[in-house]
Amino acid sequence: MNIVCIGGGPAGLYFALLMKQANAAHDVTVVERNKPYDTFGWGVVFSDATMDNMRIWDPETAAEIQLAFNHWDDIELHFKGDVIRSGGHGFVGIGRKMLLNILQRRCERLGVKLVFEVDAESDTQYPDADLIIASDGINSRIRTQYEEVFKPDIVVRPNRYIWLGTHKRYDAFTFLFEKTEHGWFQAHIYKFDADTTTFIVECPEHVWQAHRLDLADQEESIAFCEKVFAKNLQGAKLMTNARHLRGSAWLNFQRVKCEQWSMFNGRSHVVLMGDAVHTAHFAIGSGTKLAIEDAIELARQFRDQGDTAEHLPAVLARYQALRSIDVLRLQNAAWNAMEWFEVCGERYCDQLEGPQFMYSMLTRSQRISHENLRLRDAKWLGDFETWFAKRAGLPLEPGQAAPPPMFTPYTVRGLTLKNRVVVSPMAQYSAVDGVAGDYHLVHLGARAMGGAAMVFAEMTCVSAAARITPGCPGLYAPQHTAAWKRIADWVHANSDAKFAMQLGHAGAKASTRVAWEGIDQPLPSGNWPIVSASAQQYLEGVSQTSRAMSRADMDEVTAQFVASTHAAVEIGVDWLELHCAHGYLLSSFISPLTNRRTDAYGGSLENRLRYPLEVFAAMRAVWPAERPMSVRISAHDWVEGGITPADAVEIAFAFKEAGADLIDCSSGQVSKQEKPVYGRMFQTPFADRIRQEAGIATIAVGAISEADHVNSIISAGRADLCAVARPHLANPAWTLTEAAKIGYTALAWPKQYVSGKPQMEAIFQREKAQAATAALSAVRAAEA
């Protein structure tokens, strides 16, 4: 084939040498606008895994890079006067110029044609090419030329950064955080040759503008950064190699993601590669990694499917299908890391102590979990767990190992939970006339014995009309109180779990069928009148139409919540939660999607919160002062014009001011127009943001299914408790099981079940050993 690579960066050069190495008959040309062996940039970073891949595909180049690179395992944080270091992370740093020069020399030895000082403006300059690799960078002209085909999605991010260097040597991937009178600056630092280090300075836009850096030229910006980080630099100078730069040297990161990666222009197949098709934030140092692995994957497809022109359509289709999955995974991780650095100054720097800030930073991409940190640096994590346990008030003897953070106690008001796991309120639709029966005793009793610190009963309704379905339980009659007291007494007598209740009113989502007969569908007969903040149908054209509440209605419902609260006290409930989420009655007041009132209870968020706050205040006034009270909210409606995470911070703060102890952070189910973005722990960011910005403790919910998830969330300070739902439906003893899986044997089991404890622990230890043996065998097989 006749192959032309436009752009002599890592992607173009590495693909060129791989193809020429695989088949010397290919005519391969790399076109570069710079002079021979003349490039710019400081250092680039990629992982040990990428280096391992390169050793397989081109050992000669990998060996030459290995001689030139700097390898380090440690990440070091300088924060509030502390220096904290963690190892086992595995990075490779090399000068960009050195890397490209190595690739250029290898290309020349293999017979690749290198054409310099040619600025290719269009693929049409190469009509004889079978394949054109557009590796022409983030501002790709080829991508722009065929924008309607490639359909790029380009997002400009708010933080400002400047890419500098220094001759000060650092022996770890180092992060510096310094606070100025206008806000926080952070520096990302890594050495890439014997005496040169990359030094990237980053800050939010408003901090950048407050310091008038938008008016500073390159030299003034460098002088400013030297002043901010003077304590660490200790007289060392910062440098730039952005030549002939006019105006500000500060940049905004651009996230690039293309829908289509290749096309046929009538003569040649054109494929985007590297930054031209996707970018990943420098926070996880992945741009060069992506470029190299793009080249490897495309070369692999030619090897596997055939490397002649007739194979091109199939090869390029398969290349995008496979590679886009890995790229998306890495881009998502990079996005998480990028967002962490964008908000850390306002969300974490002032709020978190050094060890927890370090943990949060290490796990920012969500690719590194708690147990993965243990594999990387067991000592650091052990020291962190000791710090966390002592901070949680757990006394430890000298030399005593601390429990994982999910198994530390949590105290609020006069109540102490034995660990950080709670069983979520989950509708069971199994009550008769609002009475919780034997089913509820067995269901909640089993979960109370399963290791969780607290068990929530499902949303319990304050009146018959407040029920979602005829199968929903209530707390509005003496028989309800008696039934729940039986359950609460059993939980207290037979377990060390606490018993919690969630009180609510279904509003416009009331009078529907039980889930397995048609969720949200109106009853075929026997429907009762329903009310809401405003007249609405939850399912347009299907649901009953609710009536807008009058002031008298509001007074009546408030009295019902108060009466149910009195009943909860009589029952012996340890913890009470008010349900203000998911489109139910109080949620319908909060969301602008469902509240269209024109009186004092509609309009602004302050007005929309007025009635839910009235209800909460009335309940809190009669709920014992020593017992906690939380509020469940929908932190995101997932609909344009609905509640946003920023609104959720204000909502949480309002309830905090009214006396709430925690915010239970759920989302959605307010409108059927919602478009939620699912994923593991997908709602945890809401709990994290509310906790830091509103200054109130939170409960994280949603797709939390492993001990690793809970430990990561609690350790990083993203929430104070984790409510686990579906896994507890599948396994009432989920908490005991997860403790055994991670090898934590100190968790007490119910005395009736304790004989099963060592067997379960032994099974998981055996499975772990077998997995380790299989992994070692796979590594040895690959090496052979």
Side-chain angles (χ1 to χ4, degrees):
M1 289 187 295
N2 183 351
I3 301 170
V4 176
C5 299
I6 299 176
L13 287 169
Y14 200 63
F15 180 73
L17 72 85
L18 289 181
M19 292 302 288
K20 192 67 174 178
Q21 175 185 251
N23 188 341
H26 291 318
D27 185 346
V28 185
T29 302
V30 177
V31 181
E32 170 58 43
R33 63 185 175 186
N34 291 313
K35 296 178 181 179
Y37 292 92
D38 180 23
T39 185
F40 65 93
W42 294 108
V44 295
V45 175
F46 42 98
S47 66
D48 284 348
T50 303
M51 275 305 302
D52 291 341
N53 227 354
M54 295 177 76
R55 290 185 187 100
I56 294 170
W57 282 87
D58 183 23
E60 185 173 328
T61 299
E64 193 172 352
I65 290 172
Q66 186 164 347
L67 290 174
F69 71 37
N70 280 266
H71 180 274
W72 65 92
D73 283 322
D74 291 353
I75 291 177
E76 187 171 279
L77 168 69
H78 294 240
F79 180 69
K80 295 180 179 176
D82 292 332
V83 178
I84 304 172
R85 181 181 282 230
S86 167
H89 300 284
F91 295 97
V92 174
I94 186 172
R96 176 178 168 82
K97 183 173 182 177
M98 175 66 75
L99 174 64
L100 295 185
N101 289 170
I102 290 171
L103 297 179
Q104 288 165 355
R105 288 194 296 268
R106 178 68 170 140
C107 282
E108 288 174 335
R109 290 196 297 271
L110 289 168
V112 174
K113 299 171 189 173
L114 301 181
V115 179
F116 294 98
E117 298 184 83
V118 171
D119 199 359
E121 296 184 359
S122 171
D123 61 310
T124 58
Q125 294 172 233
Y126 306 98
D128 298 328
D130 297 302
L131 175 64
I132 295 174
I133 303 295
S135 51
D136 52 343
I138 192 169
N139 297 311
S140 169
R141 290 176 176 175
I142 307 301
R143 186 189 67 223
T144 301
Q145 181 182 353
Y146 296 108
E147 189 170 359
E148 72 284 355
V149 177
F150 294 123
K151 298 179 181 176
D153 176 18
I154 301 175
V155 179
V156 179
R157 299 304 300 176
N159 266 21
R160 292 282 181 165
Y161 71 94
I162 183 170
W163 205 291
L164 303 173
T166 180
H167 286 308
K168 182 179 178 182
R169 300 179 185 182
Y170 292 81
D171 64 351
F173 201 131
T174 302
F175 294 93
L176 309 180
F177 288 82
E178 294 289 349
K179 189 174 186 179
T180 70
E181 66 270 28
H182 296 301
W184 288 86
F185 283 79
Q186 57 249 18
H188 311 240
I189 305 167
Y190 54 90
K191 187 174 73 171
F192 62 85
D193 64 27
D195 61 0
T196 320
T197 298
T198 295
F199 200 106
I200 307 168
V201 179
E202 182 184 13
C203 68
E205 177 87 7
H206 68 90
V207 176
W208 179 74
Q209 288 185 339
H211 281 287
R212 307 303 297 273
L213 290 169
D214 52 331
L215 304 178
D217 62 21
Q218 192 167 212
E219 295 306 316
E220 290 168 334
S221 293
I222 291 172
F224 176 85
C225 293
E226 288 175 344
K227 181 179 178 182
V228 170
F229 296 103
K231 182 171 63 176
N232 183 270
L233 286 169
Q234 296 178 326
K237 295 295 183 182
L238 295 176
M239 310 174 292
T240 182
N241 59 14
R243 296 163 295 187
H244 313 301
L245 186 66
R246 295 181 179 179
S248 176
W250 296 79
L251 306 171
N252 293 91
F253 175 74
Q254 296 182 64
R255 196 291 316 273
V256 176
K257 182 167 64 175
C258 292
E259 183 177 314
Q260 181 66 28
W261 291 22
S262 64
M263 59 166 289
F264 183 63
N265 66 10
R267 302 168 304 280
S268 311
H269 287 271
V270 181
V271 59
L272 303 178
M273 190 177 287
D275 282 351
V277 67
H278 47 58
T279 58
H281 194 261
F282 55 81
I284 61 171
S286 53
T288 302
K289 169 186 171 71
L290 282 172
I292 294 292
E293 293 181 354
D294 282 352
I296 289 172
E297 186 56 50
L298 187 52
R300 187 198 319 275
Q301 293 308 313
F302 279 116
R303 182 198 67 185
D304 294 349
Q305 299 191 57
D307 64 348
T308 59
E310 58 265 29
H311 292 103
L312 277 164
V315 164
L316 296 179
R318 183 66 174 163
Y319 165 66
Q320 179 175 344
L322 290 178
R323 183 74 186 126
S324 61
I325 296 171
D326 287 337
V327 167
L328 181 60
R329 187 180 298 117
L330 199 144
Q331 278 193 312
N332 286 342
W335 185 275
N336 293 335
M338 172 194 69
E339 285 193 321
W340 189 92
F341 279 106
E342 287 175 351
V343 302
C344 67
E346 295 184 353
R347 193 174 296 174
Y348 307 118
C349 287
D350 291 319
Q351 291 86 336
L352 302 183
E353 297 177 58
Q356 193 164 47
F357 186 85
M358 177 68 159
Y359 188 103
S360 180
M361 187 182 75
L362 290 176
T363 58
R364 64 191 181 275
S365 70
Q366 296 184 19
R367 292 194 305 168
I368 297 177
S369 68
H370 194 79
E371 292 307 313
N372 185 261
L373 277 177
R374 198 182 308 280
L375 290 174
R376 291 170 183 244
D377 191 340
K379 183 182 183 306
W380 182 86
L381 188 65
D383 290 344
F384 171 81
E385 289 180 334
T386 297
W387 172 86
F388 192 95
K390 290 180 176 178
R391 185 169 169 268
L394 193 65
L396 296 176
E397 297 296 328
Q400 179 186 354
M406 69 182 285
F407 294 114
T408 58
Y410 182 72
T411 299
V412 56
R413 294 191 184 247
L415 183 75
T416 297
L417 301 179
K418 65 179 179 179
N419 61 50
R420 305 304 183 97
V421 181
V422 301
V423 177
S424 283
M426 294 175 284
Q428 300 297 294
Y429 309 110
S430 299
V432 177
D433 294 328
V435 177
D438 288 348
Y439 172 85
H440 298 85
L441 175 63
V442 173
H443 169 70
L444 295 170
R447 282 144 190 87
M449 295 180 72
M454 184 164 67
V455 177
F456 263 103
E458 63 199 275
M459 185 179 93
T460 302
C461 304
V462 297
S463 69
R467 291 175 298 162
I468 310 167
T469 76
C472 290
L475 191 51
Y476 51 86
Q479 62 267 33
H480 301 146
T481 303
W484 282 121
K485 189 173 190 317
R486 173 184 176 228
I487 293 169
D489 288 348
W490 193 97
V491 169
H492 291 146
N494 292 277
S495 78
D496 57 1
K498 304 301 181 183
F499 182 65
M501 294 193 77
Q502 183 190 72
L503 297 181
H505 188 302
K509 297 172 77 172
S511 188
T512 62
R513 306 177 197 184
V514 296
W516 45 86
E517 293 178 0
I519 192 166
D520 294 325
Q521 298 293 316
L523 294 168
S525 62
N527 288 283
W528 56 84
I530 58 177
V531 296
S532 187
S534 302
Q536 61 157 308
Q537 281 183 303
Y538 180 63
L539 298 179
E540 190 174 350
V542 176
S543 298
Q544 284 180 257
T545 300
S546 62
R547 173 174 57 80
M549 291 183 79
S550 66
R551 179 67 256 183
D553 293 328
M554 293 159 70
D555 291 341
E556 180 182 6
V557 169
T558 300
Q560 290 168 350
F561 272 101
V562 170
S564 294
T565 302
H566 279 297
V569 176
E570 182 180 344
I571 290 163
V573 171
D574 301 298
W575 182 299
L576 194 64
E577 180 165 283
L578 176 61
H579 203 321
C580 293
H582 301 164
Y584 296 133
L585 180 67
L586 299 181
S587 169
S588 75
F589 275 85
I590 298 172
S591 175
L593 300 175
T594 49
N595 184 337
R596 294 178 291 277
R597 301 176 72 99
T598 57
D599 61 5
Y601 295 91
S604 68
L605 179 57
E606 181 182 8
N607 282 0
R608 300 196 310 272
L609 276 167
R610 192 184 304 272
Y611 181 58
L613 288 170
E614 286 179 8
V615 173
F616 178 86
M619 294 170 65
R620 180 74 261 187
V622 300
W623 182 242
E626 72 278 6
R627 299 187 204 179
M629 191 168 171
S630 56
V631 180
R632 173 165 281 208
I633 68 169
S634 285
H636 197 329
D637 284 346
W638 302 105
V639 178
E640 186 175 352
I643 291 296
T644 67
D647 295 327
V649 173
E650 294 187 46
I651 294 167
F653 187 79
F655 279 109
K656 173 190 173 184
E657 292 291 288
D661 299 298
L662 288 91
I663 301 297
D664 191 350
C665 304
S666 188
S667 70
Q669 301 179 54
V670 172
S671 166
K672 282 298 185 181
Q673 305 305 312
E674 67 183 8
K675 295 181 180 178
V677 180
Y678 295 112
R680 61 190 177 93
M681 302 182 287
F682 75 104
Q683 295 182 133
T684 297
F686 308 139
D688 186 5
R689 181 171 184 177
I690 287 169
R691 185 178 190 269
Q692 315 310 333
E693 295 186 13
I696 184 171
T698 57
I699 304 174
V701 305
I704 300 170
S705 58
E706 302 172 9
D708 242 10
H709 296 166
V710 179
N711 276 320
S712 298
I713 291 167
I714 301 302
S715 296
R718 296 185 177 109
D720 299 273
L721 299 172
C722 288
V724 178
R726 288 177 176 85
H728 272 128
L729 290 179
N731 179 5
W734 180 87
T735 307
L736 298 178
T737 304
E738 289 300 303
K741 279 184 180 179
I742 63 174
Y744 179 63
T745 61
L747 184 63
W749 279 43
K751 57 183 180 290
Q752 298 91 339
Y753 298 161
V754 75
S755 62
K757 183 175 185 285
Q759 182 181 40
M760 177 182 280
E761 291 166 350
I763 288 171
F764 285 127
Q765 286 303 308
R766 185 164 60 248
E767 290 177 353
K768 190 179 294 185
Q770 290 170 346
T773 301
L776 181 59
S777 298
V779 169
R780 288 173 176 169
E783 290 173 345

